[in-house]
């Protein structure tokens, strides 16, 4: 496994048709930092984890608060489910790009063999004026057959309508647990590649943990450093730009370090949710300001 | 978890298109109390529980009796299955809004992993002159994937035809049982949010039991009072108005207390069935009068 | 030709399915006089005649003014084109029934062989929350073949979705001109019957002029009085309720006389536009009050 | 549980559209006794049980024999599968109403969770000149979700084409077995109601056995007499007319007693197969004559 | 005819769904002047008039030159046919909004009864990343029936996909010629209203010539001044924002005067093509600068 950081491909080299290019250009250059580096605000935790994610900052339970925060913070887009989009995007429509998350599930049923059902279609996204769609792919799940097939239809629809397709590529299920776990480099690297192979325009992954090697394929047994692990993942995604997720709320410095690592690896940017809005409003904007300062150093 | 009661959003702020607004306005302001607060009469228990629910008041087994009761009691709508609507709504068509319940099941098969099959379509509802449609979502069921996908199609059809979509959002299945049970605040709160995220226009939930904490996510372990629990659920539904169900027949004062709690929490209103019609005709109307007197104190 | 006035059939005897009955009941008993007699406000003259119809009362050029007037005047419905409905009905959605006019034309091209093209579908009407749809049928036009065929599809769609279908049944074209003209009893009587034969739920006609007999079929050569002429038309429509149009603005007494004649003939009511809104706001409401006073004497 | 016998609703009060009314009127008043009481001849046992049912009277294995018997016996209709209809109805087409049974299964696979697959469509029935269609609903089966959804489509098609829909509403599956069994009053009562709620025009049930109370819902634990049990079922079906099945061949007096019980309960009539044709031709007609004599005493 | 200038409605009051609002906001506030006032660059003259329009500035025959000019000049959008969009928009996709013109014709066949055929669909526009679609409606043409019907489908598709629909509303045909001509106030006023009644989101008209009164409806015989004529047209379009076309190239001051007149009348802005690009590159930008300076004085 080499360790050269990949050069980030300009969007003109991603093989995108006119509509996808128009929308991705708009996301990356007409919003956010405007320099081709992305900072998205995800907000589908109310579905994925339930209202408990809002307890630290009760205001965050109100989608209007979050969409406004995405505008105030100058994000490149806000990722929400269809019900939230129907009721809360109108007020700010056109002010911040909408990344409509097409599938999603609750955490209640067991996650041995998860599949994330489609709650909305690409056509819903077009109708709502979204600039991109998102799809969660559970790589390695026993249900990956149905998942891949549903994804294939979404990819075709996204192609037909010219919307960039962002894939939440997440290793999941009992087989993943047995082979290093969902955060192992083996799993995350494989997930990034899988999304690229299947037609993602952008892939969103969690930070890999190169120390999780128990049960992984022997080729992944040698441990890499954290930076090299992220770089490997970005490289595996080939021409598919990579977004790194923040996951649970961590310390500010730790989160900024992760963002720096992502950018050093050649990622497209970050998609941080709980680290942004699980604190009060002014604290959120202060942290966003620090994040922007960092990302500005990594123009496309 | 905060405890401020949310202000009930006026229907002009719910992000509804013209047809949905026309029909919801008609339901809330041209029927019932006419003050924006809702009182629905549900009558699909013959399917959900079987004829046994009619034994206390045999007259209640006749749908004609119930639809007439909905007119006499001045309800904002009567919620029935398609077969009942086909045969019994014509007589009173236009006198009380029809909320066509689109799915439903019998209680006979096991409820480990339930899914409520579609017995009617949104187009059936349009044809029958319904002003709204209802869908039961079993949040947390192992079948939630198929459920969410069926719901997504119903949501799209309801949007296409401009009918408000009322979601019976019910936690169900073995995973729910293991995580606090179907009445735990964790489950009810999550169900309300799920319906909102997926695109309900109105969400119907059961009263949460904040004392049911065994197995719930740790963030829900601290007990709230009953009122705070209902308020939390209404808040989690964000801009989606909430209806509280009555469930099994209880004492009059207890039921009225629950209605008061719902309204104090900022709910849209109540949907009480067995508490209304499991008593003789005149007793039903007397209880409805008391309920109306209470609800009149909570205009939109 | 007999002259007995027909008894107006109650809506339960019109052979309507549940949806049509629900919506017609709502129009006739939950709005307007609430006594089963109808008073509609038509406002598609901006398309049919152009803005010139608004010159006498410039405020009337604003659809918002008219929809509000329909609410203030307590009309049973307002008849508008789809563009007007899309932009102006939302504000009052649910407060006054919408009768979506599905076809319409400008007066610019010659009217030798007119056909009124479809500008909206029954599904558009459902989506907008309309309670009825309107269709202009040019009886006797050389294009009546295409017209009847388009109408047949509208009728089927109105049946499928349960919306009452109001037919503007207007004799038109050079053959009509040669056989007594568009206002002859021969032509109006034939038009009323044609709409009934082809499946109208309600038919809207102009007042027949029994003195226009030049060129009419010999059976119509004997002149009837005005009242008998209107009665004949209502009778020819059989079980299809009849609305009488006002046409150009006339003197108040003359218009009220016409309304009285319509009601004496057993009509469902009137649909007056220019006679209402081609005067200033307060004058409009004063005239509406006189009209209501008259119509109240003719409950269903 | 009350015990008043319900009045049988005349077909003009069943909420039927024109086509359904035309066909049901023809079945009930132009065939059979001609008095509104029904006597159907079912003949799908060759599929449901196999040829073994024909061993007592080998002639009965020939569909031509049965269709002729339906004509000779003056039945209100003959219920057969599509293949039988294709080959044998032509000869007597128009002489006896055809009730095309749309679904059906063999008894070979286990019946733990049965579903009866669709072997024909409502459109097939129209093409064959059928006056009604039949559908078997296995209430309580673990497959009831797929069953209800298939039924909903059949209901819509039957509505679209105007054919009365007769539902064989049969409790089945392991959950039913555990809750009193398929003949318990709990199960049969629930099945009748389920068919009514879901949109049957006529429901066909087996005679309930009020002594089967082991495992039933507690509200059904108190035993009723046989007559009261049948009456309860007819009442639970509300406005949906009920046909009682004969099941296996029994003694003549016993069968006639059951028919009398059905009619006393307010049923629409009976649908007896094996009790008719599992004996030789002349014996069949003699028994039919006794049955007619009885049914004549119960005009609509 | 009144003469009060109408207040320009903010886009939040135009009755637009989320997608249309998102895209119109983006066009009006994220591009061009960014103040809600619009300046579009139309470039379909190569189809409508042929290459002769490019002779004054041969560079203008190259679509790449024009799309770049739209970016350089800071236009709110460029209006082109589908072939041009397919080949030339990719390079600047996302930098300037695309207004895909869906229909168009050559000037070669006679224009007695013109209809502009559909060369692209709304779905083509979505795929290409367009932010709006354009449709030419020939009001008053003998083919207006087919035209209105094609338009109705485009309107429905634009609604379904959430794209604003800009209507080039042009009076045309022999009847128009006989009634004052295509530039008469009667014709332009009627055309603006027609587009509004039929569902345009934005209407584009030519400047009316109030002196063209020969043959116009008598109500238009009294002459208005130029400013009053433009104001009347904007008012007739009611809540539909109006764009004024420049038509043939005129003197700079004359064109700027027209733009001022449009803005004084409450128009949304201008759509000038030949006046922009029928001169060399730097002259174009200098004229655009003067135009921007003017439009900046009329924020929404």
């Amino acid at each position: 496994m080499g360790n050269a950081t990949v050069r980030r491909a300009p969007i003109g080299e991603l093989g995108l048709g006119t509509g996808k290019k128009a929308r991705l250009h708009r996301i990356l250059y007409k919003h956010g930092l405007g320099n081709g580096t992305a900072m998205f605000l995800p907000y589908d935790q109310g579905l994925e984890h339930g209202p408990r994610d809002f307890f630290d900052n009760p205001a965050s339970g109100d989608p209007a608060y979050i969409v406004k925060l995405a505008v105030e913070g100058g994000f490149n887009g806000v990722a929400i489910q269809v019900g939230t989009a129907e009721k809360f995007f109108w007020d700010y429509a056109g002010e911040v790009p909408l990344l409509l998350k097409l599938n999603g599930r609750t955490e209640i049923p067991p996650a041995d063999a998860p599949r994330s059902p489609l709650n909305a279609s690409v056509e819903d996204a077009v109708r709502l004026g979204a600039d991109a769609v998102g799809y969660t792919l559970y790589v390695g799940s026993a249900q990956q057959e149905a998942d891949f097939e549903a994804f294939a239809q979404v990819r075709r629809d996204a192609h037909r309508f010219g919307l960039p397709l962002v894939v939440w590529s997440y290793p999941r299920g009992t087989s993943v647990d047995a082979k290093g776990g969902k955060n192992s480099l083996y799993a995350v690297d494989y997930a990034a590649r899988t999304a690229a192979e299947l037609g993602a325009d952008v892939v969103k992954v969690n930070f890999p943990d190169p120390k999780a090697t128990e049960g992984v394929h022997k080729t992944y047994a040698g441990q890499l450093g954290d930076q090299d692990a992220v770089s490997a993942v970005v490289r595996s995604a080939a021409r598919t730009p990579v977004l790194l997720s923040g996951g649970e709320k961590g310390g500010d410095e730790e989160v900024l370090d992760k963002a720096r690592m992502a950018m050093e690896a050649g990622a497209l940017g970050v998609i941080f949710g709980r680290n942004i809005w699980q604190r009060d409003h002014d604290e959120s904007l202060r942290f966003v300001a620090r994040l922007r300062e960092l990302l500005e150093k990594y123009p496309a």
Side-chain angles (χ1 to χ4, degrees), chain A residues 140-151:
Chain A
S141 166
Q143 282 202 77
Q144 86 175 6
E145 294 148 13
D147 200 5
F148 281 18
E149 286 163 351
F151 175 75

Side-chain angles (χ1 to χ4, degrees), chain A residues 72-96:
Chain A
E72 291 169 337
F75 283 83
N76 294 81
V78 61
I80 50 182
Q81 288 283 332
V82 66
T84 310
E86 295 276 10
K87 291 192 190 60
F88 296 92
F89 187 58
W90 191 91
D91 298 322
Y92 298 94
E95 299 187 40
V96 61

Side-chain angles (χ1 to χ4, degrees), chain A residues 207 227 251-262 294:
Chain A
F207 282 91
Q227 178 66 61
D252 285 9
E253 300 311 319
E254 175 197 356
V255 175
L256 290 168
D257 273 355
K258 281 172 130 184
R260 184 176 300 109
M261 207 153 48
L294 170 70

Side-chain angles (χ1 to χ4, degrees), chain A residues 23-293:
Chain A
R23 293 180 172 100
L24 198 56
H25 180 94
R26 182 186 295 151
I27 288 170
L28 295 176
Y29 292 95
K30 295 284 175 186
H31 292 272
L33 300 165
N35 68 352
T37 292
M39 182 178 78
F40 285 96
L41 189 66
Y43 184 66
D44 59 344
Q45 290 84 350
L47 176 64
E48 299 286 340
H49 310 147
R52 65 179 169 88
D53 273 8
F54 310 135
F55 291 177
D56 285 351
N57 174 22
S60 69
D62 179 7
Y65 171 88
I66 295 290
V67 180
K68 185 154 173 280
L69 188 66
V71 173
E72 291 169 337
F75 283 83
N76 294 81
V78 61
I80 50 182
Q81 288 283 332
V82 66
T84 310
E86 295 276 10
K87 291 192 190 60
F88 296 92
F89 187 58
W90 191 91
D91 298 322
Y92 298 94
E95 299 187 40
V96 61
L98 169 62
L99 194 176
L100 189 72
K101 187 73 197 320
L102 302 184
N103 59 353
R105 64 189 291 280
T106 72
E107 67 173 15
I108 302 176
D112 318 356
R115 188 173 65 79
S116 187
L118 280 164
N119 304 315
S121 65
V122 180
E123 191 174 321
D124 283 320
V126 171
R127 173 174 57 82
L128 288 162
D131 277 318
V133 289
Y135 184 95
T136 292
L137 195 72
Y138 285 135
V139 176
S141 166
Q143 282 202 77
Q144 86 175 6
E145 294 148 13
D147 200 5
F148 281 18
E149 286 163 351
F151 175 75
Q153 186 56 48
V154 167
R155 179 188 51 72
R156 272 189 294 269
D157 291 344
H159 173 83
R160 179 157 74 99
F161 292 122
L163 267 79
L165 171 50
V166 181
V167 177
W168 275 231
S169 200
Y170 287 176
R172 284 289 186 286
T174 49
S175 299
V176 167
D177 295 342
K179 296 179 178 177
K182 66 186 183 178
N183 295 319
S184 71
L185 176 57
Y186 167 64
V188 175
D189 201 29
Y190 203 158
R193 184 69 184 197
T194 297
E197 298 262 354
L198 299 188
D201 294 314
V202 173
V203 60
K204 168 185 189 288
V205 292
N206 288 310
F207 282 91
D209 174 4
K211 286 180 287 297
T213 56
E214 190 179 328
V216 301
H217 192 275
K218 63 190 178 198
T219 52
Y220 281 86
Q223 289 186 9
L224 294 181
D226 286 349
Q227 178 66 61
D228 284 348
V230 180
S231 296
V233 170
V234 172
R235 207 164 47 241
S236 291
R239 210 177 269 182
T240 303
V242 177
L243 292 173
L244 274 294
S245 304
E248 291 188 14
K249 188 158 178 293
D252 285 9
E253 300 311 319
E254 175 197 356
V255 175
L256 290 168
D257 273 355
K258 281 172 130 184
R260 184 176 300 109
M261 207 153 48
M263 299 319 298
E264 289 292 332
L268 178 69
V270 297
I271 175 161
F272 291 169
R274 285 168 285 175
N275 279 292
I276 304 293
W277 46 256
Q278 280 185 345
R279 47 177 112 203
D280 82 30
H281 180 260
D282 293 355
E283 275 304 307
S284 292
L285 291 182
R286 264 193 287 274
F287 183 70
V288 169
R290 294 194 60 192
L291 188 58
R292 292 178 66 100
E293 191 180 15

